[in-house]
Amino acid sequence: MIHELLSSLAAAEEAGPDVGKVLGQFAQYGIVGLIVVLLIVGVIVPKYVMNALTAEKDNWRTAFEQERAAHQVTREQLIAAQASVDTANEQGRAMVQLLEKLGHRPQTTTGSA
């Protein structure tokens, strides 16, 4: 059993760096080691990095709001265009009915040419 344990420890050492050893090296320096480890891991970030991330977030938010406003204008224009198409169709139907009442047989086309 001890032989198996020693062989597994030897295999682990050959596999690569031991995270426990690395953390142990930083831990021997106390609070400074803890701060360095937290900086490396990314738990603690410098103020300039946080300011840059906040500015980037604000830029993305502004771009999103502008894009949403632009899409809203596009939707309003599409609604207005649809209303004008509906009005033109209604005027065409009214013209056909008027011509039929006056005795003319208007030629209507179905589909697009």
Side-chain angles (χ1 to χ4, degrees):
M1 181 164 151
I2 294 176
H3 178 66
E4 293 173 2
L5 180 61
L6 290 176
S7 64
S8 65
L9 286 174
E13 285 182 8
E14 292 174 3
D18 185 15
V19 176
K21 286 183 182 179
V22 173
L23 290 178
Q25 289 174 352
F26 284 113
Q28 72 181 350
Y29 296 109
I31 297 296
V32 175
L34 177 66
I35 290 173
V36 169
V37 168
L38 292 176
L39 278 170
I40 291 172
V41 173
V43 175
I44 299 175
V45 293
K47 184 175 181 174
Y48 69 91
V49 172
M50 184 58 84
N51 290 341
L53 289 174
T54 304
E56 183 179 0
K57 176 192 72 86
D58 292 340
N59 289 340
W60 279 107
R61 171 66 67 182
T62 303
F64 171 75
E65 294 295 334
Q66 289 173 347
E67 190 69 21
R68 185 167 53 176
H71 282 291
Q72 182 61 32
V73 169
T74 303
R75 282 190 289 274
E76 290 170 359
Q77 289 175 349
L78 287 173
I79 290 169
Q82 182 64 38
S84 68
V85 167
D86 292 341
T87 302
N89 285 338
E90 188 61 35
Q91 287 175 346
R93 286 189 204 103
M95 186 62 69
V96 168
Q97 289 175 357
L98 178 63
L99 289 172
E100 287 175 347
K101 287 181 183 178
L102 293 175
H104 298 285
R105 288 201 48 92
Q107 295 178 352
T108 59
T109 60
T110 56
S112 61

